Amino acid sequence: MLRRLFRLNSIPRRHFPQIECRVFVEEKSNSTKLLPADDIVDELRAFSNAKKLAISFSPPMLKTVVPMFTQLLECDEKVAKQIAQKHLKDIKTLTMKELRQQIETYIEASFDRKLLLQHSELLSMIPKVVLEKLEILRAMPTDENGNGLNDYLPLMKLEVKDLKKFRDTLCRDERLKMPFKDRIHFLSHKLEVEPHVISELVVKNPFLRTLRRSYIIENTDLFLSYKVSPQTILKSPYSLKSNPKTKVKQRLEHVKNLLGEGDLKAWITRASEKNYDKLLKFASENLDSLKKVGAEDNIDYLSKRLGLNTDEMQLFLTQYPRIKKVRVRIMKRILDFLLDEASYPAEKIAKVPTLFACSAKTLKKRHDELKKLNHELESLYPLAKPSKAWDKYIQRLKNDKNFESTKEE
């Protein structure tokens, strides 16, 4: 009889017992003497069970993790592979059994699978720590219109001690009857985003965990009353740190008189004095330019300077939509040069909207180069060329001029 031994090594990071499975094969035996069927079945069953056990305790590999993610997280294979490759180094600190149990724990806690995919780094956390953090999340306030633990899922990225402190802060918010129970749900309702978005904001901006409730409430209400868009507040959460009764209100009121409500940004209240003064200077220039021609906004200003009617202005906007974002002071510099200094006709300027993609300094430099070559433009399109295309164009003109002068000689 030939005995073959299949030995499966134990996992280094765990004190698992070594797994052995022996398969006995009868060789050159009497054909009339057969192994009992029950013995064969027992041997095969033992081998199969040992193999499954070994796979469960083996380190995760890409080929084994991807199918698991696809099945448990209900995503396609491409997404599962991207997540596995991104976190494979951390995932390998777990066994396949632990990884599976980890994902099943999240699913049993009613976490949304799409959110788990967004915060996939949570899949490779230490299992005991996950259970501890889940207990902390369950003690946090829940909003009747919220989504349970999903509201706090990004907070799982915090250290346990920090998570406990923030839980106490949220519970204190609730006891002190903060609107919508706590700061996460308050900002969620006011800024019209899902609570998990605010939780992610808290993780990235630790000061929000300890910021005064009065600052959060008053600053948010102030911004919204001045029609500052929620998105700009989310992009500049530091704006909530300023004193609402002095700095925030004063700056918003001051800039509103220059820019109007539609252009107010949250970062204005946190800008340094130097940048704030620069902003006021630019805003004042824009306002003076608009008043000078009797325009309401930058598009109306452009229309009046070029003498365009409604249809012509609409065509201009269709050809170059980015003109809507160009500030009046920038338009003024370009138009002052093109119309007043270079004396180009307004009709020619209106036919080349991409001129406003260049700075006045660039246009002046190019105009001077053409002037040195005594070259007059029939169309202003060459002035709006990209840098490399302009260099080739001007070099070709120089070559043509040199050829003509050589020919005359």
Side-chain angles (χ1 to χ4, degrees):
M1 180 182 292
L2 175 66
R3 175 180 294 180
R4 292 190 299 173
L5 176 64
F6 293 86
R7 186 182 298 272
L8 301 168
N9 293 330
S10 61
I11 309 304
R13 61 178 292 277
R14 292 287 186 272
H15 298 291
F16 293 134
Q18 198 173 45
I19 302 168
E20 291 185 0
C21 177
R22 293 178 176 83
V23 178
F24 298 93
V25 178
E26 192 76 13
E27 186 177 276
K28 295 182 181 180
S29 61
N30 190 342
S31 60
T32 59
K33 185 180 179 182
L34 300 175
L35 287 173
D38 290 344
D39 290 348
I40 297 174
V41 171
D42 289 342
E43 291 289 350
L44 291 175
R45 184 180 289 117
F47 177 73
S48 178
N49 291 340
K51 186 177 180 182
K52 289 179 181 178
L53 191 63
I55 291 173
S56 295
F57 289 142
S58 63
M61 303 296 289
L62 198 61
K63 63 180 180 180
T64 54
V65 171
V66 171
M68 182 191 294
F69 282 178
T70 305
Q71 177 194 0
L72 295 179
L73 298 176
E74 296 180 358
C75 61
D76 58 44
E77 188 176 340
K78 183 179 179 181
V79 173
K81 190 173 182 180
Q82 288 175 347
I83 293 173
Q85 287 176 332
K86 184 178 179 181
H87 304 292
L88 191 59
K89 184 178 178 180
D90 294 326
I91 288 174
K92 280 187 174 181
T93 61
L94 307 173
T95 65
M96 285 296 292
K97 183 179 180 181
E98 287 175 330
L99 183 59
R100 177 177 286 276
Q101 288 176 344
Q102 186 88 297
I103 299 173
E104 289 174 348
T105 299
Y106 285 125
I107 295 171
E108 287 172 6
S110 301
F111 284 122
D112 191 300
R113 287 176 171 83
K114 290 182 180 179
L115 274 181
L116 286 172
L117 291 173
Q118 290 178 26
H119 305 284
S120 53
E121 62 268 38
L122 298 177
L123 301 176
S124 57
M125 289 177 62
I126 300 172
K128 288 183 180 179
V129 176
V130 169
L131 295 174
E132 188 177 359
K133 289 183 178 181
L134 281 175
E135 288 304 312
I136 298 172
L137 293 190
R138 289 189 177 101
M140 290 183 173
T142 54
D143 186 70
E144 57 184 10
N145 297 321
N147 196 14
L149 293 181
N150 286 297
D151 295 351
Y152 302 118
L153 177 61
L155 298 179
M156 294 279 287
K157 300 173 188 177
L158 298 176
E159 296 293 332
V160 172
K161 62 177 182 179
D162 295 329
L163 189 57
K164 285 181 178 179
K165 288 180 182 178
F166 189 52
R167 174 201 60 193
D168 296 339
T169 300
L170 294 183
C171 291
R172 195 178 302 113
D173 289 344
E174 186 179 26
R175 286 197 306 272
L176 296 174
K177 297 182 179 180
M178 186 174 183
F180 304 104
K181 289 194 175 183
D182 60 79
R183 61 192 64 202
I184 285 182
H185 290 98
F186 172 80
L187 290 172
S188 169
H189 280 81
K190 289 290 186 178
L191 303 182
E192 300 177 351
V193 293
E194 293 291 332
H196 66 82
V197 176
I198 305 299
S199 293
E200 180 68 13
L201 197 69
V202 168
V203 173
K204 293 179 179 178
N205 300 275
F207 72 90
L208 287 173
R209 302 177 216 157
T210 55
L211 188 61
R212 294 181 188 177
R213 281 176 295 281
S214 59
Y215 275 31
I216 294 174
I217 295 170
E218 292 178 34
N219 279 330
T220 304
D221 289 339
L222 261 175
F223 283 129
L224 295 178
S225 68
Y226 279 88
K227 297 184 180 179
V228 177
S229 71
Q231 289 303 316
T232 64
I233 300 173
L234 290 170
K235 288 180 181 178
S236 309
Y238 275 91
S239 58
L240 299 174
K241 291 182 70 174
S242 302
N243 191 315
K245 294 179 180 178
T246 55
K247 191 174 183 180
V248 176
K249 190 170 184 178
Q250 288 176 1
R251 285 195 172 186
L252 286 174
E253 189 64 33
H254 198 180
V255 178
K256 175 190 170 184
N257 295 329
L258 293 173
L259 298 178
E261 288 183 335
D263 289 330
L264 291 179
K265 307 295 182 184
W267 62 265
I268 290 171
T269 60
R270 288 294 295 176
S272 64
E273 291 298 330
K274 181 180 178 181
N275 290 335
Y276 180 65
D277 291 341
K278 189 182 293 185
L279 171 70
L280 293 180
K281 179 184 176 184
F282 290 158
S284 180
E285 286 180 13
N286 289 338
L287 192 62
D288 291 342
S289 299
L290 290 174
K291 286 181 178 178
K292 192 172 182 179
V293 298
E296 295 180 358
D297 54 31
N298 59 340
I299 301 303
D300 192 28
Y301 175 83
L302 181 65
S303 176
K304 283 182 166 54
R305 288 289 306 263
L306 294 179
L308 302 178
N309 59 35
T310 306
D311 293 337
E312 290 170 336
M313 194 66 232
Q314 189 59 44
L315 178 62
F316 192 101
L317 292 173
T318 303
Q319 292 175 334
Y320 190 63
R322 289 179 59 188
I323 193 66
K324 296 177 183 177
K325 297 183 179 181
V326 179
R327 297 288 182 184
V328 174
R329 60 186 179 83
I330 303 298
M331 287 184 182
K332 182 180 184 303
R333 291 174 188 172
I334 293 172
L335 290 171
D336 284 351
F337 169 72
L338 293 175
L339 289 172
D340 302 334
E341 190 174 337
S343 301
Y344 289 120
E347 297 80 14
K348 284 189 174 183
I349 299 171
K351 289 179 181 179
V352 191
T354 49
L355 284 169
F356 292 88
C358 304
S359 66
K361 184 178 179 181
T362 298
L363 293 173
K364 188 177 188 309
K365 180 184 175 183
R366 292 180 177 184
H367 173 75
D368 292 342
E369 286 180 298
L370 292 172
K371 196 173 181 181
K372 287 179 182 178
L373 295 173
N374 294 319
H375 182 77
E376 292 186 6
L377 294 173
E378 293 182 5
S379 167
L380 300 185
Y381 276 107
L383 280 178
K385 286 177 177 288
S387 298
K388 289 184 180 179
W390 168 259
D391 291 340
K392 290 181 181 179
Y393 174 78
I394 203 71
Q395 186 61 45
R396 188 168 66 251
L397 283 180
K398 288 178 179 179
N399 292 338
D400 291 343
K401 294 291 183 183
N402 291 335
F403 177 76
E404 287 178 5
S405 60
T406 304
K407 189 176 179 181
E408 288 175 1
E409 291 175 2

